């Protein structure tokens, strides 16, 4: 069997494990969305089509295969090459988690609990999005890790102190990635220096307009930091709400009672 055929079989089996290993999503143990459509502060996101997903470069993923949106793939490849050439970083930047199905997100959010049981959803929402409310479903979001990483586990804020993490904070926007959940974000999510979403270096980049439409509400109401500083997509920002002016209130005309018939008007003395 050729090496290429072995690689294709490994890819197919890995993708099948990623897409089919988790049970269907169930919302019977989660509350209804907030009036503005969010759940525990998280925005809703649809699941990417399978035809829009590609495998990340070989050797990048940790554990399950890393599937990413095809529009983000070229910038990810360029960013990894630049990081590999950076002094002190090399090829230590890896992918902990990339695309997740909504069913898989439920297993992550509920810590693998059986269907119909999801303990402590309010507390869990500070660290992970509920099913249907995670940027990972779009295929544009990546949780980065570092290998080797002595003394710093995956999805931990300590990544910001590593050479690879510091490099990301300084250079990821140059490749179209922005930090989704900065410190003190208004969504109430913990600081996640490992979680980055792709929006393209400019709205004119291939596929960037679609990604920015996906994250238009997040970018306008809960902007990332560091973020991609590009004002050319201002047309994607929802227009400000202008209050409707109401006409001034008017008093109704005074209606006099009809005169009583047969009664003479009084005379002046």
């Amino acid at each position: 069997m050729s090496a290429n055929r072995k690689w294709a079989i490994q890819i197919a089996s890995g993708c099948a494990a990623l897409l089919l290993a988790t049970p269907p999503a169930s919302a019977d143990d989660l509350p209804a969305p907030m009036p503005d459509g969010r759940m525990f502060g998280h925005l809703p996101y649809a699941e990417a089509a399978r035809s829009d997903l590609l495998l990340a470069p070989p050797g990048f993923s940790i554990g399950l295969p890393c599937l990413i949106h095809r529009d983000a793939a070229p910038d990810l490849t360029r960013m990894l090459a630049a990081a590999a050439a950076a002094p002190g970083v090399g090829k230590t930047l890896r992918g902990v988690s990339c695309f997740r199905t909504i069913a898989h997100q439920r297993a992550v959010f509920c810590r693998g609990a059986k269907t119909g049981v999801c303990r402590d959803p309010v507390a869990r929402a500070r660290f992970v999005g509920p099913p249907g409310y995670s940027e990972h479903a779009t295929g544009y979001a990546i949780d980065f890790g570092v290998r080797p990483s002595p003394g710093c586990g995956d999805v931990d804020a300590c990544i910001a102190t590593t050479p690879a993490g510091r490099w990301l904070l300084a250079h990821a926007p140059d490749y179209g990635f922005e930090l989704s959940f900065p410190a003190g974000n208004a969504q109430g999510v913990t600081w996640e220096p490992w979680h980055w979403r792709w929006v393209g270096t400019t709205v004119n980049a291939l596929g960037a307009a679609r990604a920015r439409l996906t994250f238009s509400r997040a970018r306008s109401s809960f902007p990332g930091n560091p973020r991609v500083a590009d004002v050319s997509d201002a047309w994607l920002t929802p227009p400000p709400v202008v209050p409707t002016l109401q006409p001034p209130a008017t008093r109704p005309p005074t209606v006099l009672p009809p005169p009583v018939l047969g009664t003479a008007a009084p005379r002046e003395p």
Side-chain angles (χ1 to χ4, degrees):
M1 182 182 296
S2 67
N4 289 339
R5 181 170 177 79
K6 290 181 179 179
W7 174 241
I9 293 175
Q10 291 175 356
I11 291 174
S13 60
C15 291
L18 177 64
L19 298 177
L20 302 178
T22 53
S26 172
D28 56 358
D29 51 355
L30 295 174
M34 300 163 62
D36 63 359
R38 295 185 292 154
M39 181 177 288
F40 304 125
H42 292 267
L43 295 166
Y45 293 101
E47 188 172 300
R50 301 298 185 272
S51 58
D52 282 334
L53 299 174
L54 297 176
L55 277 167
F60 173 66
S61 63
I62 300 173
L64 291 173
C66 174
L67 296 175
I68 58 172
H69 200 287
R70 57 187 172 87
D71 294 337
D75 275 341
L76 175 62
T77 301
R78 292 193 309 113
M79 187 172 74
L80 294 178
V89 179
K91 296 184 178 181
T92 61
L93 199 59
R94 303 285 294 278
V96 175
S97 185
C98 305
F99 166 76
R100 298 179 194 154
T101 64
I102 292 178
H104 181 67
Q105 186 67 26
R106 187 190 190 283
V108 173
F109 184 78
C110 298
R111 296 178 176 176
K114 64 181 181 180
T115 302
V117 178
C118 194
R119 295 180 293 271
D120 302 323
V122 176
R124 288 291 292 161
R126 295 184 60 244
F127 306 96
V128 61
Y133 296 80
S134 171
E135 293 183 349
H136 284 284
T138 68
Y140 295 116
I142 298 177
D143 288 345
F144 289 92
V146 178
R147 289 294 188 277
S149 57
C152 183
D154 294 330
V155 295
D156 194 298
C158 60
I159 189 177
T161 66
T162 66
R166 291 197 300 268
W167 189 91
L168 272 177
L169 290 169
H171 299 287
D174 299 335
Y175 301 91
F177 288 87
E178 57 186 23
L179 192 66
S180 299
F181 305 111
N185 61 84
Q187 289 181 264
V189 182
T190 55
W191 178 43
E192 295 190 356
W194 61 85
H195 180 106
W196 297 76
R197 65 186 176 219
W198 181 84
V199 296
T201 54
T202 170
V203 72
N204 295 318
L206 182 64
R210 175 160 59 163
R212 295 187 183 199
L213 280 171
T214 299
F215 298 117
S216 60
R217 184 178 174 192
R219 301 189 79 219
S220 61
S221 301
F222 311 100
N225 184 26
R227 63 175 299 179
V228 176
D230 176 25
V231 298
S232 64
D233 64 340
W235 58 276
L236 294 174
T237 302
V241 177
V242 179
T244 303
L245 298 179
Q246 299 293 333
T250 58
R251 296 181 59 185
T254 301
V255 179
L256 298 176
V260 179
L261 297 179
T263 303
R267 296 183 178 180
E268 295 183 0

